[in-house]
Amino acid sequence: MTHFISWRPILKILSRELLITILLLLGVSIIIFSILHMAPGDPLHIFINIQTQNPDEIAAIKRDLGLDRWLPLQYLSWLNNILHGNFGNSFRTGRPVFNELIGVSLYTLILTIGSMIVTLLISVPIAIFSSLRRHPVLSWGLTLLAYIFSALPVFWLGYIVIYIFTHKFNLFPFLSAGYAGTAKFNFLYFLLPIIVLGVGNGAISEIIRHLNAQLERVLSEDYIKAAKAKGASIWRHSFKEGMLIPVTTMVAAKIPFILGGAVIVEQVFNWPGMGRLAWQAALDRDYPIIMGITIFAAFFVHIGRFLQTIVYLFVDPQITAKGEEA
Amino acid sequence: MAEDILRVEDLRTYFYSFTKEAFIRAVDGVSFNIKKGEVLGIVGESGCGKSITAQSIMGLITDGPGIITGNIFLNNNGNTVNLLDGLPDYASIKKKRKAIYEISKDVLGWQKRSETLMNGIRGMVISMIFQNPKSALNPFMPIGEQIAESIMLHKAIATKKEALSFAAAWLERVQIDSPNMRLYDYPFSLSGGMCQRIMIAMSLSSEPSLLIADEPTTGLDVTIQTKIIELLKKLKEELNLTILLITHDMGVIMQLADKIAVMYGGKIVEYGLKREIMDNDSFIRHPYTIALLNSLPTIEEIRAKERLRAIKGDVPDTITLYRGCRFYDRCTLKNDRIKNKCKESEPEMIEIGTGHLMRCWLAE
Amino acid sequence: MRTRYIQKGAEVSEFSQIPLWRRGNRRDLIQIGIGLFVVLFVLSSYLVAVLHLLPNDPLQINLKEMMQRPDYKHVLGTDFMGRDILSRIIVGSQAYFMPGLLAIAIAISFGTLAGLVSGYNGGTIDAIISYILDLIDSIPKMVIILLAIALFRPGIYLIMLIVGLTNIPAVASLIKSKVIFLKKRNFIEAAKALGLRTRQIILKHILWHNCKTVVIIQATLGMGEAILIETSLSYLGFGVQEPVPSWGNMVAAGKDYFFRGDFYLSTAPAMAILISILGFYLLGDGLNNILEWRRKK
């Protein structure tokens, strides 16, 4: 007596999902390529930083790089480069973009994932509390508070936190995560930006609203009433549909949003991540860097979506069944 | 006969409607009792409050604000408990605005208390099966796990493996083929009849002293309805079940019930043993019961393809406070002799035979 | 195309004869009240700025009156150059108001169109539109804006155009789920049977009667987001540039004073941001509760 998971439909759905993700990423690459070609100035400048002004030399470089070819061919060779991790060199530092991005993307991942956890730690209990309908006034107050935090400009929240910790408590000089190794309270360097982004990213109120609506809907379902009638825990029965699925949906949907918020928080806290790099690149018009960041960000977003599909697959038996029919 | 398993006295369940600013009197003073091994059938049109009665007994009513009062005495292995014990009587609060506040404030406390009272009774002493069995089973859990959960909660069985084999035995008992394989199926892949069998297995697996069957055949195909009724009948004889059967289907009542309570507009209008009400044609009956019975087509009529005889008129809304009889508008037996009486005052329950009560001025 | 998990209950709403103000509870009305107050504040400050009714010149540098606390002449005090903060905040609302309307208009018009077409037709058209919408959804808003900034150095209107474009998928999916839900209902069939043409059915029965609430709510939330984006960009130094005031660059300009303990310069515009975004969110939420009101069982 063992529980069989039928792998065939799951693999089928996952492979379809993978195909769609690849198609979407290809689409993103086409969009980025076209935007780069629409950019003012010679496309040559977008890919390399050249010093010469001589038209003959420029033409020669263009021929060498294949920039005089038919546009779709150019796209294919560009895509080939991207797939091999060759994003070009940064104008500012001259180093390969890919290496620079790998270095900073880890910091951004820590920041985004950490702040997502903080956001969930705040919003899930409030959502559960207000779906209980035990203390309507208190839960309304909490929801309003969540709205206020969502509306707070995250940079100003950052200022307050920095001020309190550097000036009032004198815990550490105002530095950044990059220097964290030597300081006494080094964990705070990591913790503070994560908490600030988690509290102030503006997603809390929406997550609470969605979770609350879904949880209340599930709690009024017939099967929850039946579970109650047989003396079982309604939370155990409502967990999958009322908690797991809405939380996953929201996490996947809010990843782009939090990545956007990371740009600002990294700026405020000197956090050496992708957002700060993107800001620097936008200032310097460092085309290869900003292009690489866009591709990386799209990649992160799709990893989130893919994980969401996997969670759905293992939570909801009906999706696998439908996959088998299709 | 044996002692009462359940005795309900003057149960009232009112909901407050904010949009209409009035109470909906879903259940308005219902009393009945069920003895061990007996099947009480509550019958009535939809909206007459029969499902709310069942849910009030189970403590499943959570939509506030509202009022639940009365007494529900449950015989739990010799100890009699009142399921509404200590729940304050809100019905007397009259001031409109204040009443809303008081009720919505106290419903929370009521719910808490109700939860503690019902803890250990739900599923253990009283089990319930629902209409639309497909939506009453958790769609995210294999059915075996759901039955095993019920078994592990209420029986002295600790391991899941043991509980699952117990569940398989119960599935066999409710006539499900290859039960060991079915244990791992999800509800969406099973038919409605199958789901209802599983619900029955689940609710009986804890061996409760009372089974509440809330419209057990609604939402099922006609052939499957018959099979479910036959199954319930068989199980009742095998296990000496006590059942509170709630249905709008006179046919189901005829086949299963020992005792009948006919509900109309939140009140019981006729109450008595089935043989008193149904089998004795010369005996006096409530006009509503007659109308219900008449709406059942006979075989001859079906052969002659006659139209179904529906009861004329609509179910009364349960908001308006009636002075007279609630059935007055639709009553076909009203005559000039008692017409004024019917219009002016509501009849009380009148005993017209041994244990046969009726709420009609005709009975006098 | 993509296996989206359809959230049950999200698209169901009942229409009834119960008047609007009776549908919600007191909280919704309070929320809407606060929201309307904020909208009024934003609108009037916009008007005041347009009509040159400002209490002081927002650009007038007056070094004698630097860093003043609020008093009779400067109701919200002055900044590090002696400029009147109240006037600057009022003018700052101009930075996002019209561009925000542009973003909303684009998101709603194209989103409604895409949602209607893909929901009503289904099939290949739906697949193509869904693909394009998924594509837009793939890149974080802020990143694509920074990409555009790096390449084109666009003005605030162009940025809000991009914001509007990135908001299309959200509106489209709402409208689409609504259309799919309504398509299953009988009255569309009835309208077809009565001989109404497809376009009439779409325009009158689906769009007007059933989607206007979505549009109103999305417009409200969209304005809140426009404020968020504009202030963030101005804070980062890409939006409105000094000396023209914007709430974002006012917060950024007050940064050094903030760390010295002079919170006021940053806090006043930050509060303006907070109150405005909060107002629009509360309004959107309250309207959502009332307009998309669901009849209780």
Side-chain angles (χ1 to χ4, degrees), chain A residues 1-3 133-134 136 222-223 225-226 228-233 236-237 240-241 245 315-318 321, chain B residues 55 58 60 62 108 115 122-123 130 135-141 145-146 149 153-154 180 184 186 188 202:
Chain A
M1 295 221 314
T2 44
H3 188 173
R133 296 188 181 176
R134 281 281 151 85
D222 281 355
Y223 73 86
K225 212 165 214 179
K228 207 174 165 190
K230 75 175 183 185
S233 152
R236 186 178 132 88
H237 281 265
K240 278 185 176 173
E241 200 187 354
I245 287 178
V315 167
D316 192 345
Q318 293 200 45
Chain B
Q55 290 183 12
M58 272 307 240
L60 290 180
T62 46
L108 301 171
E115 288 298 310
R122 279 197 206 117
F130 293 82
S135 65
L137 286 168
N138 188 339
F140 293 87
M141 242 190 225
E145 202 175 309
Q146 296 189 47
E149 186 194 25
L153 277 170
H154 304 302
N180 280 329
Y184 302 104
Y186 286 93
F188 69 88
M202 189 158 77

Side-chain angles (χ1 to χ4, degrees), chain A residues 16-17 23-24 35 40 136 140 147 159 167 209 214 217 264 268 279 282-283 285 287 302 312 316, chain C residues 2-3 5 7-8 27 31 131 135 137-138 150-151 153 232 235-236 238 259 263 267 271 274 285:
Chain A
R16 198 177 62 193
E17 192 67 22
L23 275 177
L24 283 171
I35 290 179
W140 187 46
Y147 269 106
Y159 287 174
H167 289 69
R209 200 170 51 192
Q214 291 298 313
R217 178 184 66 75
I264 294 161
V268 173
W279 175 80
L283 264 190
R285 312 191 77 156
Y287 294 164
H302 280 288
Y312 284 174
D316 192 345
Chain C
R2 184 179 270 273
T3 42
Y5 193 87
Q7 299 288 343
K8 276 184 266 174
R27 293 177 209 173
Q31 288 192 3
Y131 175 76
L135 211 56
D137 251 352
S138 310
L151 295 174
R153 285 281 182 271
S232 301
Y235 170 78
L236 292 174
F238 296 123
F259 291 131
F263 310 115
T267 308
M271 285 300 118
L274 169 66
D285 193 28

Side-chain angles (χ1 to χ4, degrees), chain B residues 83-102:
Chain B
L83 298 185
L84 296 179
D85 186 25
L87 300 172
D89 186 347
Y90 301 105
S92 59
I93 298 171
K94 287 270 160 54
K95 254 195 227 158
K96 214 162 110 195
R97 267 293 159 197
K98 192 166 183 263
I100 302 162
Y101 177 71
E102 288 288 331

Side-chain angles (χ1 to χ4, degrees), chain C residues 7 11 27 39 143 172 257:
Chain C
Q7 299 288 343
E11 66 284 329
R27 293 177 209 173
V39 172
V143 172
Y257 302 92

Side-chain angles (χ1 to χ4, degrees), chain B residues 246-302:
Chain B
I246 286 156
T247 181
H248 62 270
D249 189 343
M250 272 311 228
V252 178
I253 292 280
M254 295 289 227
Q255 290 187 57
L256 274 176
D258 302 317
K259 211 156 69 176
I260 298 175
V262 182
M263 266 184 95
Y264 187 77
K267 289 198 170 187
I268 292 180
V269 291
E270 186 163 15
Y271 178 70
L273 293 175
K274 184 170 84 180
R275 56 187 146 83
E276 298 259 358
I277 298 176
M278 299 296 170
D279 302 347
N280 192 348
D281 271 339
S282 62
F283 219 87
I284 191 162
R285 287 184 197 143
H286 192 280
Y288 181 59
T289 317
I290 295 170
L292 275 181
L293 285 171
N294 278 342
S295 64
L296 276 182
T298 59
I299 291 170
E300 289 77 38
E301 282 168 358
I302 293 171

Side-chain angles (χ1 to χ4, degrees), chain C residues 40-56 58 84 86-94 97:
Chain C
L40 211 68
F41 165 77
V42 169
L43 274 177
S44 59
S45 67
Y46 183 76
L47 273 180
V48 162
V50 168
L51 297 173
H52 299 288
L53 296 173
L54 292 168
N56 290 290
D84 183 43
L86 177 67
S87 305
R88 288 180 71 75
I89 285 179
I90 290 174
V91 173
S93 68
Q94 275 184 311
F97 189 70

